[in-house]
Amino acid sequence: MNAGRVYAIAARKFASLRRDKRMFGFIVLMPAIQILLFGIAIGQAPTGLDFAVIDESNNGFGTLIIDELHESESLVIHTDHATITEARYAIAEGELWGALLIPENGSFELHLDNSNQQISSTIIVEVRNAMSEVLSAGGGSVPLELAEPVYGQKDPAFIDFLAPGIMTMVCYLFSLILTTMAFVGERYDGTLDRIFATGTKPSEVLVGHLSAFTTILVGQVAVVILIATLGFDITIEGSVLLLFVLAMLLGWSAMCFGLFISSMAKSEFQAMQINMPIMFPVLLLSGILWPVQALPTWIKPLSWVLPTTWTAEAFRSIMLRGWGLESSAVQMAFAYNIAFALFALFIASRSLKVQE
Amino acid sequence: MEGDAASIAGDEVSVGEVAISVTGLVRGYGKVRVLEGLDMRVESGSIYGLLGPSGCGKTTLLKVLLGRLVPAAGEVSVLGSLPGSPGSRVPGGAVGYSPQELALYEDLSIRETFLFHGRLHGMGAEVIRERESWLIDFLDLPEPSRQVTRMSGGQKRRVSLAIALLHEPELLLLDEPTVGVDPELRARVWDHLATIAAQGTTVIVTTHYIDEASKADRVGMMRFGVLLAEASPTVVMESQSATSLEEAFLALCRRDSGGGV
């Protein structure tokens, strides 16, 4: 090994890197932003959780517990449900995440929507804290019983919480990667010039690409769902067909966005450079690893812009709550994906100009 | 013979209509100006040879004629209208284009390539198959199942030319179609171009093989974004008292640079 020659290679490469300011930003800023986002998005306690308390006790403890719970930063307390049955109905409709029954005597009952394990954990902690604050002061303790949950298992498995989100992520990412580089090269090697010379329109090019990729998408979604259900026995309470269709819609959203990147990027490498910083934030902000209810208010709008957020939520509702097309969560996911896909396609066809 | 180089345009365009007319065309990329007020006239049913060194703007000019680039200034009329304007026949099936880069899909076979371009032109499968046979024979191409990536540079160049000829268009814009092609085949190509020109096709060929262009009906000699001369090869040579087009071009360049004859 000759030091002089190694130096020549290194110096040349450094000169090239220095010219590429975007690469520098990429290498230096991206990890910083990702870690920052991670700290912001993950691990905080969720807020704004609607929670009911039904106080059937005749002593003052009930009121004290309710007061204590009002102090909680995570819970929004409702006391206007008359019976636990009423409250359970509200939970089933998605209006509440849980309800606490304080009986005349005996253990307190905690009824939960267990479709989101992190939210359930937060609620349990808040309730236990409130109880120990109040009851230890007065001496003695009362057991807290976890009633049969409205949705999900009594002892929810982490995989059931994670599965809908990860499936969202997989469908989105791979569709995006497929199409991001779909025709970047063709814009510069003359093949697109030739296509436009025939009078073909950009929209025809885009829809043609989309159609070809859709055949792959069908296989991809089928494999993901099959492996999840047959391979790992993941819970799907609702309709598998609905899941399949929604996953295809998400795939199309991702592909249209990828086509948009394809129509703008100056090289295949640049297309990847745009893609990579997108992956991590999508994972962090879509409620895949951690509930969106835990995001700081100022960053929540960013989460709502992502089709993955709506889809992950709908997947969770379909898989763990057995909800269907009649629920607004699922409807929103359908509508948003369709709108997002059409918008991305529209912008892409404007960027891919026949005439410059 | 001193005289404004641009006035060497003999052989008044006699009978035929004008297929392409360009006046004062200006166009560049970003800050770089490429075409600097170019004038050009191409008669229908003729071969027009566009000559000039790399970087003089030949490809840019072709892209304007195709409607791929918008003129910054000047008038352009191709087959009767501004390319890319509503109702214009360009871009469209009236044009056949062979770009300077090969512009081929490496992973497709010859057959798949022809199918693709044929379909874009709305040609039926049978018609495409017929043309495929003829083109393979005429241009000495390998078997239809051969993948582009498995061909030599010259063969690829011929496939690229074949694509432009596939749908038998009215106007052919060929950018350096014979690079890497052996002289015998090059002669065959030019003969065929002469035949279809006689039948009414308008052909523009850019090349830097200057002597090849002596087979054209008219040549345009391009330098730094304008035409130094536009006339039949004979007239251009006579105007510079040259015995070959190459000689004539060199003389014109020297004159253009301000040097003596």
Side-chain angles (χ1 to χ4, degrees):
Chain A
M1 191 152 291
N2 178 307
R5 290 203 277 259
V6 170
Y7 176 72
I9 304 277
R12 194 288 298 174
K13 190 63 189 175
F14 188 69
S16 296
L17 286 174
R18 228 171 25 146
R19 287 271 154 78
D20 192 347
K21 304 248 170 31
R22 213 180 333 244
M23 165 74 99
F24 247 55
F26 190 65
I27 297 291
V28 172
L29 285 182
M30 276 311 132
I33 293 179
Q34 316 291 21
I35 293 293
L36 222 69
L37 261 181
F38 175 76
I40 291 172
I42 308 289
Q44 330 281 350
T47 58
L49 303 174
D50 292 297
F51 187 76
V53 184
I54 293 105
D55 185 8
E56 289 176 354
S57 73
N58 293 322
N59 52 43
F61 277 140
T63 325
L64 286 174
I65 300 244
I66 293 177
D67 287 342
E68 196 62 40
L69 284 172
H70 271 301
E71 304 270 307
S72 153
E73 285 181 2
S74 297
L75 305 177
V76 173
I77 304 298
H78 302 261
T79 47
D80 45 350
H81 295 84
T83 63
I84 191 62
T85 322
E86 225 182 272
R88 279 184 75 92
Y89 184 74
I91 295 175
E93 291 291 296
E95 290 161 17
L96 297 171
W97 280 102
L100 177 67
L101 173 64
I102 306 175
E104 252 192 84
N105 39 43
S107 28
F108 291 16
E109 275 174 27
L110 186 52
H111 299 248
L112 292 171
D113 175 347
N114 262 349
S115 67
N116 195 315
Q117 194 197 35
Q118 311 301 338
I119 288 182
S120 298
S121 303
T122 306
I123 295 177
I124 292 174
V125 164
E126 294 286 323
V127 169
R128 283 223 164 97
N129 281 347
M131 284 173 68
S132 60
E133 273 299 308
V134 170
L135 294 171
S136 59
S141 62
V142 178
L144 176 67
E145 202 182 280
L146 290 176
E148 204 49 47
V150 178
Y151 290 121
Q153 321 282 5
K154 216 174 200 180
D155 198 3
F158 187 49
I159 198 176
D160 281 332
F161 164 67
L162 212 47
I166 296 297
M167 285 163 67
T168 305
M169 200 60 195
V170 166
C171 287
Y172 187 76
L173 264 188
F174 288 100
S175 300
L176 182 60
I177 288 175
L178 258 186
T179 53
T180 298
M181 299 187 291
F183 51 78
V184 186
E186 292 174 35
R187 281 164 55 217
Y188 297 103
D189 70 0
T191 45
L192 207 60
D193 280 342
R194 233 211 269 259
I195 291 175
F196 285 151
T198 66
T200 307
K201 313 235 177 324
S203 53
E204 290 165 340
V205 173
L206 292 170
V207 175
H209 275 84
L210 201 58
S211 306
F213 284 121
T214 297
T215 52
I216 302 184
L217 180 64
V218 172
Q220 181 195 78
V221 173
V223 164
V224 168
I225 293 185
L226 277 175
I227 292 186
T229 44
L230 300 179
F232 293 99
D233 202 18
I234 287 171
T235 324
I236 299 188
E237 298 280 347
S239 155
V240 177
L241 182 63
L242 194 61
L243 211 58
F244 186 85
V245 174
L246 186 55
M248 293 280 298
L249 276 184
L250 180 66
W252 273 317
S253 277
M255 289 202 289
C256 291
F257 187 62
L259 290 177
F260 161 65
I261 296 180
S262 252
S263 70
M264 304 253 300
K266 298 229 187 326
S267 71
E268 267 137 355
F269 184 64
Q270 195 187 71
M272 276 322 281
Q273 273 183 325
I274 298 175
N275 244 356
M276 300 232 272
I278 291 180
M279 290 198 257
F280 216 47
V282 167
L283 184 67
L284 294 174
L285 293 175
S286 298
I288 289 171
L289 293 178
W290 199 255
V292 291
Q293 289 85 352
L295 290 173
T297 327
W298 58 271
I299 216 177
K300 272 195 183 142
L302 200 54
S303 167
W304 295 333
V305 169
L306 303 171
T308 41
T309 309
W310 301 95
T311 312
E313 186 54 42
F315 272 12
R316 221 172 277 121
S317 296
I318 296 173
M319 288 168 72
L320 298 170
R321 290 170 169 160
W323 282 2
L325 226 85
E326 70 288 341
S327 80
S328 60
V330 176
Q331 283 168 6
M332 275 306 300
F334 269 74
Y336 193 80
N337 273 305
I338 292 174
F340 189 88
L342 288 174
F343 183 65
L345 214 53
F346 173 70
I347 305 272
S349 71
R350 299 290 284 231
S351 306
L352 196 63
K353 297 199 254 300
V354 175
Q355 212 170 39
E356 284 154 34
Chain B
M1 255 180 338
E2 206 56 68
D4 186 0
S7 72
I8 303 171
D11 271 311
E12 258 319 304
V13 181
S14 42
V15 208
E17 335 158 347
V18 173
I20 297 181
S21 149
V22 178
T23 325
L25 176 60
V26 176
R27 173 69 208 207
Y29 297 102
K31 295 209 185 95
V32 182
R33 299 206 1 146
V34 179
L35 300 176
E36 307 261 16
L38 183 136
D39 299 325
M40 180 192 192
R41 274 193 28 270
V42 181
E43 216 184 297
S44 296
S46 72
I47 305 180
Y48 187 103
L50 188 59
L51 306 177
S54 324
C56 68
K58 303 197 298 281
T59 302
T60 306
L61 175 56
L62 281 194
K63 287 195 172 169
V64 172
L65 296 178
L66 272 175
R68 195 78 170 99
L69 294 176
V70 179
E75 312 256 308
V76 178
S77 170
V78 178
L79 299 181
S81 53
L82 174 67
S85 59
S88 165
R89 301 174 61 206
V90 177
V95 149
Y97 176 49
S98 183
Q100 195 175 17
E101 325 88 347
L102 289 168
L104 299 171
Y105 298 109
E106 292 282 318
D107 49 359
L108 293 189
S109 68
I110 293 182
R111 172 157 295 169
E112 286 164 343
T113 303
F114 287 163
L115 263 178
F116 172 60
H117 286 97
R119 281 175 182 152
L120 282 183
H121 287 293
M123 290 164 72
E126 277 221 6
V127 180
I128 298 177
R129 190 59 73 87
E130 272 167 39
R131 293 294 293 158
E132 175 198 289
S133 303
W134 186 84
L135 285 164
I136 288 182
D137 186 55
F138 172 62
L139 289 172
D140 224 0
L141 295 176
E143 69 286 2
S145 57
R146 178 81 69 93
Q147 272 189 314
V148 171
T149 189
R150 293 196 188 299
M151 294 195 251
S152 70
Q155 286 172 326
K156 289 184 190 181
R157 177 73 51 181
R158 273 137 52 201
V159 172
S160 191
L161 175 58
I163 293 172
L165 299 173
L166 183 69
H167 58 295
E168 301 178 277
E170 205 177 306
L171 171 63
L172 274 175
L173 299 179
L174 307 175
D175 202 345
E176 313 260 3
T178 52
V179 171
V181 177
D182 70 77
E184 194 252 311
L185 192 39
R186 256 198 267 145
R188 268 222 312 256
V189 169
W190 276 88
D191 282 342
H192 175 71
L193 293 179
T195 310
I196 57 177
Q199 291 166 356
T201 305
T202 309
V203 183
I204 299 186
V205 180
T206 72
T207 178
H208 56 259
Y209 294 137
I210 297 197
D211 280 336
E212 193 178 54
S214 53
K215 301 188 197 169
D217 296 309
R218 270 156 74 81
V219 293
M221 295 196 148
M222 199 164 169
R223 190 174 194 243
F224 297 142
V226 287
L227 290 185
L228 300 180
E230 184 185 71
S232 74
T234 332
V235 169
V236 173
M237 287 192 289
E238 274 171 10
S239 76
Q240 301 303 307
S241 309
T243 48
S244 75
L245 266 185
E246 189 144 6
E247 236 187 272
F249 188 66
L250 283 172
L252 283 166
C253 286
R254 260 183 239 121
R255 176 166 288 162
D256 185 55
S257 303
V261 174

